[in-house]
Amino acid sequence: MTYVKPTELVQSVIDAGASKVLLSTRDTIVRSIMGGAILTIAAAFAVTISVTTGSPLLGAVLFPIGFIMLYLLGYDLLTGVFVLAPLAWLARRPGVTLGGILRNWGLVFVGNFIGAFAIAVLMAIVFTNGFATAPNAVGEAIGHIGEGRTVGYAEFGANGMLTLFVRAVLCNAMVATGVVLAMVSKDVIGKIFAMWMPIMLFFFMGFEHSIVNMFLFPSGLLLGGDFTIVDYLIWNEIPTVLGNLVGGLAFVGIPLYLTYGRPSTPRRVRPSKRERLAAAAAVDAPAPADREAAGASV
């Protein structure tokens, strides 16, 4: 399998960020709708596995299938462009401005939500036989997830909000790592393996991903979850988006750029005390010609 070294990898990340910012509105919306849809189908798949097999670990192991598919197809997630676009701006790529970055984030957010909400409605139909019956076991589980991750946090007040935010930060520390690692190899098998690891970790650990939540919470509301739209926005989606932004930049984007994205100079090594004394003695010692002249004068 091929391996792209970190210095080359960061340049690829910067190139990708510039291309995202400069992408047309139509293409950005289409790619983000499909990104949100594929990722959230995978979330429904993972919850189904966890419920039917009783093994959350198995669901987490298989969830990255959706992430891998969407990135191999070049689709977009908000959590990914949170990292890619700012690096292109830091590298001063032509045409990449703060306004362009905010435009890109806004379009991807809207597109991801459209895709995720569409899957939420379609899966709610599946789980309830077209809303003719009560939700099946998987539908009930999704409803309870929505309750636990909204009013469940609200019960602890500020401490709950802090926990939610930290889970969102840690989530995109892993997801953004997966986005970057998608470029660490030039062959498909290498890309798949590299992306799989951090995505499996975030899902099993129960971290908060803003796009996955765009599916889980509307689904929960459609399936009878005991929480409201306001609960969802205040006690999950908005803090999760902010935490995802911080996590992606603080743990992935900025460190990579600082250490690999700029020209580096070798560290200046300070001579030891012995070396300094030896150099000083060499300067003070008379040259050979001086010593000969001194001897001749005697």
Side-chain angles (χ1 to χ4, degrees), residues 13-295:
V13 172
I14 291 170
D15 291 341
S19 69
K20 300 298 182 186
V21 174
L22 300 176
L23 198 63
S24 70
T25 299
R26 183 200 63 187
D27 288 341
T28 302
I29 288 289
V30 170
R31 294 180 190 185
S32 56
I33 288 173
M34 294 307 301
I38 291 176
L39 186 73
T40 53
I41 288 176
F45 172 58
V47 174
T48 301
I49 291 172
S50 300
V51 171
T52 56
T53 66
S55 174
L57 177 59
L58 183 58
V61 168
L62 295 177
F63 169 74
I65 290 173
F67 183 87
I68 290 166
M69 287 193 296
L70 75 91
Y71 269 102
L72 289 179
L73 288 169
Y75 295 149
D76 290 329
L77 294 178
L78 182 64
T79 45
V81 295
F82 272 163
V83 176
L84 300 178
L87 261 65
W89 179 74
L90 288 172
R92 299 181 179 180
R93 286 300 172 89
V96 178
T97 64
L98 288 176
I101 291 173
L102 294 175
R103 167 189 168 275
N104 175 254
W105 288 353
L107 291 174
V108 174
F109 179 92
V110 171
N112 284 168
F113 185 82
I114 292 171
F117 185 77
I119 298 303
V121 173
L122 294 176
M123 292 309 302
I125 292 171
V126 171
F127 295 146
T128 62
N129 292 304
F131 299 105
T133 64
N136 62 14
V138 177
E140 288 184 3
I142 291 175
H144 291 314
I145 290 172
E147 294 170 8
R149 293 190 178 183
T150 52
V151 294
Y153 288 126
E155 289 179 3
F156 296 97
N159 293 329
M161 184 63 73
L162 175 63
T163 302
L164 167 60
F165 183 78
V166 169
R167 282 185 171 179
V169 169
L170 294 174
C171 172
N172 213 28
M174 291 294 95
V175 174
T177 299
V179 172
V180 171
L181 288 179
M183 307 176 202
V184 81
S185 174
K186 294 183 179 179
D187 59 80
V188 174
I189 297 300
K191 289 177 179 289
I192 289 173
F193 186 75
M195 286 187 280
W196 202 292
M197 298 178 290
I199 304 308
M200 176 179 62
L201 189 156
F202 110 74
F203 196 84
F204 185 72
M205 294 292 289
F207 295 153
E208 297 287 351
H209 190 278
S210 54
I211 315 308
V212 172
N213 291 352
M214 290 176 183
F215 159 75
L216 290 175
F217 294 91
S219 292
L221 289 169
L222 291 169
L223 296 169
D226 189 16
F227 61 100
T228 67
I229 294 176
V230 174
D231 291 331
Y232 160 57
L233 293 175
I234 301 300
W235 286 100
N236 194 282
E237 191 63 38
I238 294 173
T240 297
V241 168
L242 295 175
N244 287 169
L245 173 61
V246 171
L249 287 176
F251 285 91
V252 182
I254 292 175
L256 281 173
Y257 180 78
L258 288 178
T259 191
Y260 294 119
R262 302 180 301 168
S264 60
T265 55
R267 182 174 66 91
R268 184 177 179 182
V269 179
R270 184 180 179 184
S272 66
K273 183 176 181 181
R274 178 179 295 179
E275 290 170 336
R276 294 198 301 272
L277 291 174
V283 171
D284 294 338
D290 294 339
R291 289 199 297 269
E292 291 176 3

